[in-house]
Amino acid sequence: MTRAEACAKIQEAIEAIDFKGEYISYKQYGSGHINDTFLVRFQREDGSIIKYILQRMNHHIFNPAQLMENICNVTSFLREKIEKTGGNPDRETMNVIPTKDGKSYFKDSIGSYWRAYIYIEGATSFDKVEKPEDFYQSAVAFGRFQNLLSDFKADILHETIVDFHNTPKRFETFKEAVEKDVCSRASSVQEEIDFVMKRAEDMKVCMEMLDNGDLPLRVTHNDTKLNNVMIDNETGKGLCVIDLDTVMPGLSIFDFGDSIRFGANTAVEDEKDLSKVSLDLNLFEQYAAGFLEGCNGSLTDNELKMLPIGAKIMTLECGMRFLTDYLQGDVYFNIHRPEHNLDRCRTQFKLVEDMEVKMDQMHEIIKELSGK
Ligand code: ADP
Ligand code: GN1
Ligand code: MG
């Protein structure tokens, strides 16, 4: 079934979910790689328009029941904290709109799963850094998000994707994909395969530190792309962290690293002209300053020391995941052109190379900011 076919029964979802007002329209929305996202408009009795986000969850990747249980638990925990500090929980955390029979998601007649959220008005999610200040504010928001969840009971969380950022396991999966070569694409990407193989030793560095107790396991977001945070149009502050599908126990250095991978790149993730791709050290510094502020002193010395490595490993892992998906026939990430995953992989590897060149400078920046 294509994605378009899987979304064919969207009207059933619109009918089943307890939206307020009279239905007007829907349109495709956003640029996420995993779910199918729609903006849905309703009209209230007074004539005003109310918007919602409606998503077809990717049930090939996630178990929808477990996913929604996690999201409801995390958002109600955050809601309570935000209320206590006088914030506005309707804008500062995600809010699930239940179905008319009180469930957090809906399964339609062709087996697609749907969920809806309040649409956060007056805020923007960016696909590319336009102003360094936005990137800084996104870092404060992601750091604060992690800090807010520091006393969340991690044992009630389902591991929505097992071994999500287990880089050595990702490496094994990659090697299997090369071996099987189901689409006969491996010979055309030998250079990229060699790039990964040369870095075999890098794969285990962070996970070994976790296993040895040198890095703590925290409740982390695990998908800290700039477009997974809403920036308030008026105040310019990071308003709400979104895309909570992968909130699970994880490493703070990976939350940091994934943001750098995406936002401190001088080019977009799928840029074809690789000469445009590099690590912007100024943006790295902005993000690091914001993240340290948001984490509010909670990072250990080892975490601080490993932030630059976290950035490199997240970039390497992500490039390897794109390449794996290309070899497997583009079965995981949404693509919009035939070699999309390969283009994405190449930007990540170019960025890894530049990070290797700039590694000492990244360490210097963290030292200066943290005083450690
Ligand atoms: P994916 O998992 O596919 O990345 P996301 O949950 O990140 O899906 O949603 C895709 C995009 O939709 C986001 O990047 C953001 O632009 C927009 N979006 C998602 N939820 C909301 C919301 N509650 N309010 C406003 N925009 C949203
Ligand atoms: C996916 O869902 P989205 O687009 O925010 C992916 C991330 C990758 C990212 C690469 C659940 O994020 O892990 O880093 O694409 N999310 C999942 O852009 O696999
Ligand atoms: Mg997203």
Side-chain angles (χ1 to χ4, degrees):
M1 202 190 286
T2 64
R3 281 177 183 272
E5 284 162 358
C7 292
K9 301 293 177 192
I10 187 170
Q11 291 294 348
E12 288 182 11
I14 291 172
E15 182 51 39
I17 293 170
D18 199 12
F19 294 121
K20 299 294 175 223
E22 199 180 320
Y23 167 69
I24 300 184
S25 63
Y26 77 84
K27 65 168 186 187
Q28 229 169 351
Y29 197 73
S31 51
H33 295 351
I34 301 297
N35 299 299
D36 291 309
T37 304
F38 299 88
L39 178 69
V40 191
R41 292 163 72 241
F42 277 71
Q43 188 163 31
R44 293 196 188 97
E45 267 181 15
D46 65 3
S48 62
I49 300 294
I50 177 162
K51 294 179 197 157
Y52 298 98
I53 287 288
L54 177 61
Q55 280 181 330
R56 184 183 74 86
M57 288 177 266
N58 189 326
H59 66 269
H60 301 291
I61 297 177
F62 297 113
N63 171 325
Q66 292 187 353
L67 189 61
M68 292 315 291
E69 197 180 310
N70 273 9
I71 289 177
C72 291
N73 280 333
V74 168
T75 53
S76 52
F77 179 87
L78 291 174
R79 167 169 277 270
E80 220 173 274
K81 283 208 168 173
I82 293 165
E83 272 167 355
K84 268 191 200 143
T85 51
N88 176 357
D90 286 347
R91 294 188 81 224
E92 293 171 34
T93 182
M94 298 294 271
N95 288 273
V96 176
I97 311 284
T99 62
K100 286 174 181 156
D101 53 4
K103 301 209 175 75
S104 59
Y105 66 94
F106 169 71
K107 184 178 180 186
D108 71 19
S109 59
I110 54 169
S112 287
Y113 292 82
W114 299 87
R115 67 173 169 210
Y117 295 112
I118 293 182
Y119 176 85
I120 300 163
E121 294 279 0
T124 307
S125 79
F126 293 95
D127 287 321
K128 174 106 190 61
V129 174
E130 288 172 15
K131 286 193 290 196
E133 171 70 14
D134 290 337
F135 196 41
Y136 169 82
Q137 293 296 346
S138 78
V140 177
F142 279 125
R144 196 176 51 218
F145 180 83
Q146 184 186 293
N147 215 20
L148 281 173
L149 290 176
S150 60
D151 55 342
F152 182 85
K153 281 209 245 109
D155 55 354
I156 69 166
L157 282 176
H158 299 284
E159 201 175 354
T160 54
I161 299 178
V162 176
D163 291 323
F164 188 56
H165 284 316
N166 186 332
T167 319
K169 286 246 169 86
R170 295 275 184 195
F171 184 46
E172 291 308 313
T173 309
F174 163 76
K175 285 187 286 187
E176 262 168 47
V178 175
E179 185 75 21
K180 290 198 177 128
D181 194 18
V182 290
C183 298
S184 306
R185 290 175 170 176
S187 62
S188 65
V189 292
Q190 196 52 52
E191 207 181 312
E192 286 75 17
I193 293 171
D194 292 346
F195 185 94
V196 175
M197 295 313 294
K198 268 192 211 138
R199 287 161 181 80
E201 285 303 303
D202 291 346
M203 304 290 174
K204 51 186 183 220
V205 175
C206 302
M207 293 308 281
E208 267 181 7
M209 287 186 75
L210 173 68
D211 293 342
N212 298 339
D214 293 332
L215 287 173
L217 196 62
R218 300 181 184 274
V219 175
T220 49
H221 184 277
N222 295 303
D223 189 2
T224 50
K225 275 158 72 161
L226 180 63
N227 62 17
N228 285 333
V229 60
M230 307 296 301
I231 306 285
D232 192 307
N233 295 344
E234 243 172 52
T235 65
K237 304 261 190 237
L239 178 68
C240 179
V241 169
I242 63 169
D243 200 345
L244 306 179
D245 295 341
T246 52
V247 174
M248 293 181 273
L251 293 179
S252 61
I253 63 167
F254 283 170
D255 268 8
F256 174 83
D258 203 31
S259 294
I260 297 299
R261 171 193 80 71
F262 189 82
N265 184 351
T266 48
V268 287
E269 191 183 61
D270 57 357
E271 176 60 58
K272 277 170 173 285
D273 178 356
L274 292 181
S275 71
K276 292 186 180 161
V277 175
S278 64
L279 175 73
D280 183 327
L281 280 172
N282 177 44
L283 288 180
F284 176 87
E285 181 167 357
Q286 292 279 331
Y287 193 90
F291 195 70
L292 294 193
E293 184 184 324
C295 288
N296 197 21
S298 61
L299 297 180
T300 65
D301 288 359
N302 273 346
E303 286 179 301
L304 290 167
K305 204 173 77 191
M306 290 297 286
L307 290 174
I309 304 290
K312 178 184 152 180
I313 298 305
M314 274 299 91
T315 312
L316 178 61
E317 182 191 279
C318 192
M320 182 169 70
R321 289 174 63 199
F322 287 140
L323 186 55
T324 304
D325 199 30
Y326 181 70
L327 291 167
Q328 292 177 335
D330 308 303
V331 290
Y332 185 90
F333 295 105
N334 287 343
I335 57 163
H336 307 290
R337 54 179 188 254
E339 301 213 322
H340 211 162
N341 272 319
L342 184 55
D343 293 339
R344 290 167 176 158
C345 152
R346 287 179 171 149
T347 61
Q348 300 309 291
F349 291 171
K350 175 80 194 296
L351 194 56
V352 168
E353 274 179 341
D354 201 39
M355 286 177 172
E356 288 170 348
V357 172
K358 293 174 178 162
M359 188 51 77
D360 289 349
Q361 292 170 76
M362 285 197 273
H363 282 299
E364 271 312 308
I365 290 170
I366 299 295
K367 253 196 215 161
E368 258 177 42
L369 287 173
S370 66
K372 300 229 165 115

